[in-house]
Amino acid sequence: MSAQTYKKKYEISPSGDLPDKMTIYQDCMNTFNESPVNAKRCRLLISRLLRLLANGDTFPQNEATALFFSISKLFQHQSDSLRQSVYLAIKELSGISEDVLMATSSIMKDVQNGSDLIKPNALRSLTYVLDESTAFSAERLLKSAVVSKNPSISSAALCTSYNLLPISDVTIKRFANETQEAIVDLKQFVLLDEASEFYPTSTFTTQYHALGLIYQLKRNDKMALLKLVNQFSSGNALKNQFAMVQLVKIVDDLIHRDTQLISNFETLLTSWLDSKYESVQLETAKLITSFATHHSHLVGNRLFSNAVSTLQTMLSTPRVTSRFAALRVLNRISMVSPEKIVVCNPELESLINDSNRNVSTYAITTLLKTGTAKNISSLISTITKFFHEVSDDFKIIIIDAVRTLSLNFPQEWKPILDFLTDVLKNSEGGFNYKNSIVEAIIEIVSFIPQAKELAMEQLCDFIEDCEFNEILVRVLHLLGKEGPHTSTPSLYVRHIYNRVVLENSIIRSAAVVALSKFALIKNNTPLAESVVGLLKRISDDEDDEVRDRATISLKFIDSAKKNPVGEELLHSKYTYDLSSLEKKLTSYMSSNSDAFKTPFDVTSIPKYTEDEVKAMELKKKQQSFNSSTEELGTKFTDEAEETGKRLDSATYHGANLDEHSKDLQSTKYIDELLSIEQFKEFGSLINSSKTFPLTETEAEFVVNGVKHLFKEHVVLQFNITNTLTDVALDNVAVVCSSEDQESSELKELFTIPVDRLLPSEESACYVAFKKPEGVVMESFLNNLTFTTRELNPDTKLPFDDDEGFQDEYEIDPLVLNAGDYIKSSFVGDFSASFDELPNENVAVYNVQESMSLQEVIDKLIVNTSCLALENTQYAQNETNQHTLKLFGKSALNGTKIALIVKIVKSKKGIALKAQGRGEDATLSSDLVNGLM
Amino acid sequence: MNTTREAKGIEKNMSKATGKPMNGSTFLGSLYTVEAVLILNNNLGKASPEKEMGTGQQQQQQQDSGRVYVKYYTPPHTESEEAFNTLKKQIAFEKNLMSKTKKQDNEIMLLDNHLVLYKKCADVTLFLVGPISGNEILLNEAFGAFKGSLELVLNSSGIDRKNILEHYDMVLLAIDETFDNGIVLETDAAAIASRVSKPITQEPVQLDLDKGLLGAWGFAKSKLQELQQGL
Amino acid sequence: MGNFFSSMFDRLWGVNKELRILILGLDGAGKTTILYRLQIGEVVTTKPTIGFNVETLTYKNLKLNVWDLGGQTSIRPYWRCYYADTAAVIFVVDSTDKDRMGTASKELHLMLQEEELQDAALLVFANKQDQPGALSASEVSKELNLVELKDRSWSIVASSAIKGEGISEGLDWLIDVIKDEQL
């Protein structure tokens, strides 16, 4: 081999091809074990080795250990240049090697006697080489390094200590004082090489490391943390912005532990909003605004608006990162209290055209949330101007934001609908894009009655030229559902029939079904007859499915004239509870006990009317609008190309996993209830409440309750979890005593206790009462009774001969009130519906507790089980009064009930005036008089 | 009604018994503010155009994964973050990163619950990844240190793939001096660069002039030794 | 072939070669003290060596690469990783630790059976002579069964690292032997 080839072998080839793993291994083993050490080659080889590891390759443990040992031998060479590489290698290999403790002595020696260049490297490598048993031995070294005047050395020791906390906090705590000193001490950077071409500046980052470490050491000591904040918030104690932001985070921690503290920090926070460091301003603004989301009554208006104006100023900085960060916070605020950031609208508007796409997207979506009834039209026109220049992804995000606008400001539907129609007609786009627009329009049709007909017309125009089957089918279905109730059904019939004539078989089949719904419109026999005629023509279609559907529809129409069941099949007024249906079907399919001879029993599945369905949908939309704080972040990653995601995830507003599991849970409880023999004779279930807690979550016995209502019975279900680890509970039951025994209308029938509850088990016990028909209200005091049995630690079962001892445990009381007899219901025009209802009742309440407006509203919604309409479920932050509009219907007889509650908060407390009307007089009166 | 994840997160992560910090970088006030540092090829997944002459098998192994340098940080002595704990997840994330930054250079973005700062430099892109709840401006300072120190260490040659690979040892050291397990160690690029030792230029050849010929023979001898070991 | 050349060259021009020497022994024998005694001529305060200490020193115009390996039970298994290319082994014994002489002897003989140490010379320091109750060098020699050693140059020297006695004598002998046999 010539010398040239030989030399090249050891260099990293500029083409960047990866070295071969085995070659590297051999080269390393040979070169590192050589004597004398060729430092230049060793450092090069270490780089190649590390490149291999960075690429994701790894070595089996024996090889890694061999490499580690060989590298550790390089400590014999004194060159700092080689030594730095050795430390890199030690750190990388320590994760995959054994016995890395062999390097300990050498490292400790470097810590003590190494050059100032090497000492920090040595200190930081200790993180990987020490373990629980050896960490204590480094105490002296670490402690003296922490107080070194050289900031690199001090920081290295602090970071290592921080890294070692999980395995040796006792050792680290021993030099807490030195750590605190390191915050105070302003260590100037030491330039090691006088001839260096660099001009470093001191950043005092050591303050940050020391403060971070002290914070960890003193986390459980609130007083110590307060002292820390006091000490370092004054004057120029902290020079490093990371350290200052760290202090802000400490304050954040403190106010979350004790919310009352925020007032103590008001001056400090205000001064931080003026910090010369944007990072500090940002962190403080984040703190204030997110704290205000849950504790709005504790954050003064002045502080909040200060935070907002700080963010507002940040919107105009030249630094993209700062604009982005400020926008993120404002966007989060806009989801809860958009009116508070309306003041930023001018800046937001100018950011719409920001060169950075992420910034401009955030700006628009925030703007759309701050839209008030007054400026929606101007917002929409601003958006329209640049809408066509942006990408599909971005367009979808805007459409979504516009859509939520439409839900919140139904009176402003016109400019919104115009915008949607315009973009639908005039812009090119893929399936996701078009679909999101159509979904938005469909929502307008469903929830905004005044816009319905115009929106539907637009959809009819659209389907004349739509290339996506799925969308067409969806629109046709909607036309079939809503069309018959409009003033001009024949218009829709015409549009639908055109589709039958012109489109493919999938569309035709959907069109047939839609068409058939028009055949049963009362008072319009000519139309009905022409529809039947059209259907007869379609029965000659060349496609099987189309013909079948037409034929079936004709048969149903025919029988509907004689029998209402047929009408029901065509024009169903009910839909099934899907989660319950799914569950029952799955268990039916998997049980197969008698080869499916017994047909599937559909009567046991709860059904919902259309307005109930709409109510639930609206509630979900309202909640998703408010819940996630980073929905924008996840929206950025939505791509249709990504596998496994819903195609309509950009527009899907159905149940998320959380809600779905809650739904499943209530279905499960209902199933369990109905499978119990004793309850079968109670008849069908009228209503079940949601699960509500009756104890603290950290209690020894966690209990939550469910109220089930039958026609003449009430069953209270108590789900009990035994959180103790060493006792079992036998014969667990709840004793419910009515508060007013004398005049109670309920008669207790029987209790079904839980036989045995082992540790961590959860089970349900029931108490059944007889009640007269109609609305019955009652308050119960509840006591959990049980026998504790100690467990044999070996068998984990109670001792046989131990009788245990009886005990009681008081849990929260529960109330059966009017709201339990009510289900949420949706209505398009609240005022009109309210005016139509009879039986008005008025009641006045005074709430003494210091609740916030929002908390009162939430409680009312829960107590009445009604749906809040016209976006009145959110209190505005700056006001002291609010009007809540609620709508529902009786679970017993389906009659409507509506409630307007005016809430005023003053120094004396909270005053409520409730005005309720309902078709059912008793229910209406009970509801209004039993609100709080 | 309004309970956000943030408030819940704080309660969940506070250990009542000991002062022990919780796993991962997501708890409030943690120093672990950086989750990953990456230098990726702009042509992700394509094999390098100039190949060394090697066997076919070698060429297969040298298929470029697009990584020039990659480091995912986990707080030591704790459970690793689920997001990046397998090679598969990492590669998927990197692919995602490159596809999202292919067309524009927006400097900052949110991806999959992470904050990402990035900058394109010739034929590679530099990335810094942090938790989504982080302070963007601080992360930007860290990014500036990362990029700035690389520029200083690579001298006038600039940041590109060839230079990085040629001075890989210095690049590794610079990044090591900037971040320690996800803790931002230093933010002044010159300070970082000044702590990066240069590679050894030449092994000191013991030319002892007093020995004269003997010394020269010694030199020849060591060279011959190298040759033998090469055989 | 290569080895022949290099060993031939070494005989002729042994100037630049580094000699590799290991200091082994049970924990607390005095290995680290001896190492630094050799290197800086002073007595340093030592901690138990977890791993190894390596120092380069020049002794009589020879460059010595001296490795002091930790003697704790958990670390002894790793001694083998350092045997390659070793010119000589210095085995240090605590002459007052009578209870563990047997263990010391066992470790010594085990080590000497390794192939990589076939050609290595052996110097034994019967250390801590300054302490009361220290066995003499010949007594230690008996305890260690040094007589059984065949095919190896060995010597035992009474020493006190703290007092600085016996160290240079021992090393002088060792270097001479190495020069004779290997260079």
Side-chain angles (χ1 to χ4, degrees), chain A residues 20 43 47 54-55 81 84 91 117 124 128 162-163 201 203 209 216 246 283 294 328 356 358 626, chain B residues 2 27 29 31-32 61 65 67 106 108 132 135-136 169 176 180-181 184 186 188 195 197-198:
Chain A
D20 168 58
R43 177 158 152 149
S47 301
N55 196 51
S81 167
Q84 280 201 318
K91 293 201 277 199
L117 175 67
R124 288 168 42 219
Y128 300 84
Y162 196 80
N163 291 328
T201 327
T203 55
H209 302 135
Q216 280 307 318
Q246 188 71 13
E283 195 70 34
H294 316 295
R328 252 181 95 194
N356 186 311
N358 296 334
N626 187 43
Chain B
N2 298 330
F27 68 92
L31 288 184
Y32 299 114
Q61 285 172 327
S65 67
R67 291 178 162 192
N106 277 327
I108 180 168
I132 204 167
N135 185 307
E136 295 89 334
D169 53 344
D176 185 63
D180 177 290
N181 282 305
V184 175
E186 174 57 72
D188 181 58
R195 280 193 46 81
S197 60
K198 294 204 173 36

Side-chain angles (χ1 to χ4, degrees), chain A residues 33 35-36 69 72-73 75-76 99 101-106 108-109 134 137 140-141, chain C residues 16 18 20 36 47-56 65 67 75 78 81-82 85:
Chain A
N33 285 313
S35 174
F69 268 77
S72 70
K73 290 187 192 167
F75 271 100
Q76 61 178 298
D99 312 314
L101 64 104
M102 280 305 282
T104 313
S105 264
S106 317
M108 302 271 214
K109 188 159 149 264
T134 51
S137 60
R140 198 175 49 84
L141 284 177
Chain C
N16 290 323
E18 272 184 13
R20 188 193 173 87
Y36 289 105
K47 281 192 307 199
T49 309
I50 307 176
F52 60 87
N53 293 304
V54 53
E55 300 291 350
T56 312
N65 208 232
W67 297 71
I75 302 183
Y78 300 114
C81 305
Y82 300 88
D85 276 343

Side-chain angles (χ1 to χ4, degrees), chain A residues 581-616:
Chain A
L581 180 64
E582 177 190 345
K583 192 156 167 285
K584 286 244 162 64
L585 275 171
T586 340
S587 66
Y588 181 75
M589 293 301 294
S590 54
S591 66
N592 193 12
S593 46
D594 56 356
F596 299 119
K597 283 214 186 81
T598 336
F600 180 70
D601 179 18
V602 96
T603 56
S604 56
I605 302 176
K607 296 197 276 221
Y608 301 123
T609 60
E610 188 176 319
D611 53 348
E612 283 170 7
V613 170
K614 277 198 174 153
M616 297 191 304

Side-chain angles (χ1 to χ4, degrees), chain A residues 125-154:
Chain A
S125 69
L126 284 175
T127 304
Y128 300 84
V129 161
L130 295 174
D131 61 22
E132 289 92 344
S133 52
T134 51
F136 71 93
S137 60
E139 182 193 325
R140 198 175 49 84
L141 284 177
L142 286 172
K143 190 195 292 209
S144 57
V146 166
V147 300
S148 163
K149 287 281 167 222
N150 183 323
S152 309
I153 296 177
S154 179

Side-chain angles (χ1 to χ4, degrees), chain C residues 1-137:
Chain C
M1 176 71 159
N3 276 335
F4 173 69
F5 274 149
S6 73
S7 54
M8 202 176 80
F9 284 141
D10 287 343
R11 270 185 236 276
L12 292 174
W13 296 291
V15 260
N16 290 323
K17 181 145 174 132
E18 272 184 13
L19 284 182
R20 188 193 173 87
I21 300 187
L22 301 183
I23 308 184
L24 304 174
L26 300 186
D27 47 296
K31 304 181 289 301
T32 311
T33 317
I34 289 180
L35 173 68
Y36 289 105
R37 191 43 177 209
L38 283 172
Q39 197 206 24
I40 56 178
E42 283 175 19
V43 175
V44 302
T45 354
T46 60
K47 281 192 307 199
T49 309
I50 307 176
F52 60 87
N53 293 304
V54 53
E55 300 291 350
T56 312
L57 50 117
T58 323
Y59 195 86
K60 289 191 166 171
N61 270 337
L62 277 181
K63 247 178 130 188
L64 304 179
N65 208 232
V66 187
W67 297 71
D68 152 37
L69 303 185
Q72 291 167 29
T73 324
S74 48
I75 302 183
R76 280 177 231 151
Y78 300 114
W79 287 355
R80 318 173 38 249
C81 305
Y82 300 88
Y83 290 165
D85 276 343
T86 302
V89 172
I90 301 178
F91 196 78
V92 184
V93 172
D94 179 348
S95 310
T96 65
D97 191 356
K98 302 182 186 87
D99 294 335
R100 294 205 290 167
M101 281 294 171
T103 318
S105 176
K106 198 177 86 188
E107 292 289 355
L108 176 64
H109 288 277
L110 213 59
M111 174 224 316
L112 294 178
Q113 281 165 16
E114 295 281 342
E115 198 192 311
E116 286 166 310
L117 292 179
Q118 286 310 311
D119 297 332
L122 174 67
L123 168 66
V124 180
F125 276 127
N127 200 30
K128 306 206 186 175
Q129 289 296 317
D130 56 290
Q131 296 291 314
L135 295 176
S136 69

